[in-house]
Amino acid sequence: MIITSSDNKEIKRVSKLNSKKYRELEKEFIVEGEHLVEESYKKGLLKKIFLLENENIEIDIEKIYVSYDVMKKVSNLDTPPKVIGICSLLKEKEVGDKVLVLDGVQDPGNLGTIIRSAVAFNIDTIILSNDTVDIYNPKVIRSTQGMLFNINIIRKDIKEEITKLKDKNYSIYTTNVSNGIDIKDVEKSNQFVLIVGNEGSGVSKDISKLADYSICINTNKNVESLNVAVATSILLYELR
Amino acid sequence: MIITSSDNKEIKRVSKLNSKKYRELEKEFIVEGEHLVEESYKKGLLKKIFLLENENIEIDIEKIYVSYDVMKKVSNLDTPPKVIGICSLLKEKEVGDKVLVLDGVQDPGNLGTIIRSAVAFNIDTIILSNDTVDIYNPKVIRSTQGMLFNINIIRKDIKEEITKLKDKNYSIYTTNVSNGIDIKDVEKSNQFVLIVGNEGSGVSKDISKLADYSICINTNKNVESLNVAVATSILLYELR
């Protein structure tokens, strides 16, 4: 059977997963395209897939065939993919030794890019403040290039978590564009927390206070700051 | 006088500057918001501004007052700014000693972020291939955070330009994710060209061939590649 109507009950339900509220209610999210479907399958998070009629994909999971118009209705992309997967939410694990804390990152592309870089530079755990953009936002997922499934991501009260890790002797680094020590001159550590902040306002004051070191990247004085995903990536590159 | 109608001839003309074709024809582009207006003024590129009625800005330039609805019509932002500036196109200058070549970068956010990082790490000149996204695209301009005005940007046949610089003994670095030397192990140079490529396909083959060194960034093997703006920024950080 091929679903050809957007009024189909299951299609209506799945389309709603494009909104945060509904994702939290259903405890599911959407991934688009073969690469992300395969990555989610490998991690045991894939529940079913919607495939364009006449397409196939070698995965042992429930398959529902749909017309191009139905795929277009569910997809967030200008050109709908051949496959869309429905996944269970990621499981939160114990905090590891190399931790990145995001305090209010707002742009989905920035969050996705940061997740991708965090995996590249062997970060174990990312802790998101409650006002950081949703990781299941379609633009975030796309920007991670599938790396979302290769790292432990936790959403919690960051003040409480940083305080706990500080008590366990993790080195706590925060970023400070105007008043930090050059990352090249900072003592490295095998157990650390790097805190980065909002695109406009940086790390909030009460969180900054918890840090052992304020660090920065040495740049040309004409430049007030780097893009947050770039700055985070360079700091992780140096701290790894 | 306050322009309150979007049918005003000048408003219609300026709105068209949101399209690349019209920017090339008129040799003008738009900047939005106080920061970018001020930066373009400092560089002598600002020709006139459109201001929201009841707003002011201390700049000695022709001012045209408009209603909120007219500003909304011209602006690319969800929330229109209080001021929009009309600028002459940037002047192309001689190629400097530290050169970045972009071979087919497609995403406006990536290009803007790369320009911002290039200024931060003291690059003199960016050479864009003809198929790289337009620098006057509103999303590019926004992502540069005003840094567009602090660097020499040239659009030219990159093969020809790289060949010329190679003859002048510039070191030519290209990026190669699967087969490059770790940037940490590469001989640095005071006169160099770094070539980075398209988001999906990287640097094209006939351009790669011109390079003296293929370089990469050492990452976790799970990660195929970094975001192009992140990778470029880390390489510029190392090469400066």
Side-chain angles (χ1 to χ4, degrees):
Chain A
M1 201 195 75
I2 298 164
I3 299 178
T4 56
S5 165
S6 304
D7 288 335
N8 176 287
K9 208 177 134 193
E10 178 64 1
I11 296 302
K12 276 181 149 173
R13 192 189 74 83
V14 167
S15 298
K16 283 195 202 154
L17 292 176
N18 287 316
S19 89
K20 188 182 168 197
K21 192 179 146 192
Y22 207 73
R23 287 192 291 267
E24 282 170 0
L25 202 68
E26 296 280 302
K27 304 206 181 326
E28 287 181 342
F29 70 104
I30 296 177
V31 293
E32 302 202 33
E34 207 164 344
H35 177 59
L36 285 165
V37 163
E38 279 167 0
E39 292 292 316
S40 62
Y41 177 73
K42 279 186 215 159
K43 299 292 167 180
L45 295 172
L46 191 65
K47 294 169 84 169
K48 64 169 92 170
I49 59 176
F50 292 85
L51 260 172
L52 273 186
E53 46 182 334
N54 306 321
E55 293 284 359
N56 198 18
I57 177 169
E58 299 277 328
I59 277 183
D60 181 23
I61 206 101
E62 182 188 351
K63 295 184 176 81
I64 298 166
Y65 287 89
V66 301
S67 67
Y68 182 86
D69 286 347
V70 168
M71 188 62 97
K72 205 169 163 60
K73 157 104 178 155
V74 181
S75 172
N76 282 283
L77 304 173
D78 295 334
T79 311
K82 77 170 200 182
V83 61
I84 276 179
I86 309 303
C87 303
S88 328
L89 300 188
L90 299 169
K91 284 182 193 66
E92 298 193 350
K93 295 178 207 145
E94 287 284 302
V95 174
D97 285 342
K98 292 166 189 262
V99 181
L100 175 64
V101 171
L102 304 185
D103 180 14
V105 169
Q106 289 305 301
D107 181 83
N110 283 340
L111 177 55
T113 302
I114 288 172
I115 293 172
R116 189 173 168 191
S117 293
V119 177
F121 298 130
N122 298 314
I123 289 296
D124 307 306
T125 306
I126 301 177
I127 308 177
L128 308 176
S129 68
N130 288 314
D131 60 346
T132 288
V133 59
D134 185 25
I135 45 166
Y136 304 111
N137 175 308
K139 276 191 205 159
V140 173
I141 295 177
R142 225 175 309 142
S143 311
T144 66
Q145 295 274 323
M147 290 307 121
L148 182 67
F149 301 111
N150 291 316
I151 193 160
N152 179 26
I153 303 175
I154 294 172
R155 190 176 288 272
K156 266 198 179 148
D157 183 293
I158 58 172
K159 194 170 177 181
E160 211 169 277
E161 285 302 307
I162 297 167
T163 307
K164 266 192 224 162
L165 295 171
K166 200 174 159 74
D167 288 346
K168 287 186 188 163
N169 283 319
Y170 281 63
S171 299
I172 317 288
Y173 304 101
T174 189
T175 46
N176 188 326
V177 174
S178 55
N179 201 15
I181 314 164
D182 188 338
I183 177 71
K184 296 255 186 217
D185 301 329
V186 164
E187 208 181 316
K188 308 293 190 294
S189 164
N190 289 324
Q191 271 198 324
F192 70 82
V193 177
L194 171 67
I195 312 167
V196 299
N198 173 271
E199 285 85 351
S201 54
V203 178
S204 49
K205 266 194 191 160
D206 62 325
I207 300 298
S208 271
K209 270 192 278 180
L210 301 172
D212 304 309
Y213 307 91
S214 280
I215 57 176
C216 74
I217 298 161
N218 186 13
T219 62
N220 181 312
K221 294 303 163 219
N222 283 330
V223 177
E224 239 173 71
S225 67
L226 294 160
N227 162 280
V228 67
V230 166
T232 305
S233 301
I234 292 176
L235 294 173
L236 295 179
Y237 170 78
E238 286 284 8
L239 288 172
R240 75 194 155 145
Chain B
M1 201 194 78
I2 297 164
I3 300 177
T4 56
S5 164
S6 304
D7 288 335
N8 177 287
K9 209 177 133 193
E10 178 64 2
I11 296 301
K12 276 181 149 172
R13 191 190 73 82
V14 166
S15 298
K16 283 195 200 154
L17 292 176
N18 287 316
S19 89
K20 186 181 171 199
K21 191 179 147 192
Y22 207 74
R23 285 193 292 268
E24 283 170 359
L25 201 70
E26 296 281 301
K27 304 208 180 326
E28 286 181 342
F29 70 103
I30 296 177
V31 293
E32 302 200 33
E34 207 163 346
H35 178 59
L36 286 165
V37 163
E38 280 167 359
E39 292 291 317
S40 61
Y41 177 74
K42 280 186 214 158
K43 299 292 166 179
L45 295 172
L46 191 65
K47 294 169 84 171
K48 63 168 93 168
I49 58 175
F50 292 84
L51 259 172
L52 273 186
E53 45 183 333
N54 306 323
E55 293 285 357
N56 198 19
I57 175 170
E58 298 277 326
I59 276 183
D60 181 22
I61 206 97
E62 181 187 351
K63 294 184 176 81
I64 298 166
Y65 286 89
V66 301
S67 66
Y68 183 86
D69 287 348
V70 168
M71 188 62 96
K72 205 168 163 61
K73 156 104 178 156
V74 180
S75 172
N76 283 282
L77 303 173
D78 294 334
T79 311
K82 76 172 201 181
V83 60
I84 276 179
I86 310 301
C87 302
S88 329
L89 301 188
L90 299 169
K91 283 180 195 68
E92 299 193 350
K93 295 179 207 143
E94 286 285 301
V95 174
D97 285 342
K98 292 168 188 259
V99 181
L100 174 64
V101 170
L102 304 185
D103 180 13
V105 170
Q106 289 305 301
D107 181 82
N110 283 340
L111 177 56
T113 302
I114 288 171
I115 293 172
R116 190 173 168 192
S117 292
V119 177
F121 299 130
N122 297 314
I123 289 297
D124 306 306
T125 306
I126 301 178
I127 308 177
L128 307 177
S129 67
N130 288 314
D131 60 346
T132 288
V133 60
D134 185 25
I135 45 167
Y136 303 111
N137 175 307
K139 276 191 206 159
V140 173
I141 295 177
R142 226 174 308 142
S143 311
T144 67
Q145 296 274 320
M147 290 307 121
L148 181 69
F149 301 112
N150 291 316
I151 193 162
N152 179 27
I153 303 176
I154 294 172
R155 190 176 289 272
K156 267 198 179 149
D157 183 293
I158 58 171
K159 193 169 178 180
E160 213 169 273
E161 285 303 305
I162 297 167
T163 307
K164 266 191 223 163
L165 296 171
K166 198 173 160 75
D167 288 346
K168 287 184 187 165
N169 284 319
Y170 281 62
S171 299
I172 317 289
Y173 303 102
T174 190
T175 45
N176 188 326
V177 174
S178 53
N179 200 14
I181 314 164
D182 187 338
I183 178 71
K184 295 257 186 217
D185 301 328
V186 165
E187 209 181 313
K188 307 295 190 296
S189 164
N190 288 324
Q191 271 198 323
F192 69 82
V193 177
L194 171 67
I195 313 167
V196 299
N198 172 272
E199 286 84 351
S201 54
V203 178
S204 49
K205 265 195 189 155
D206 62 325
I207 299 298
S208 272
K209 269 192 278 182
L210 302 171
D212 304 310
Y213 307 91
S214 281
I215 57 176
C216 73
I217 297 161
N218 186 13
T219 62
N220 181 312
K221 295 303 165 218
N222 282 330
V223 176
E224 239 173 71
S225 66
L226 294 160
N227 163 280
V228 67
V230 165
T232 306
S233 302
I234 292 176
L235 294 173
L236 295 180
Y237 171 80
E238 286 283 9
L239 287 172
R240 75 194 155 146

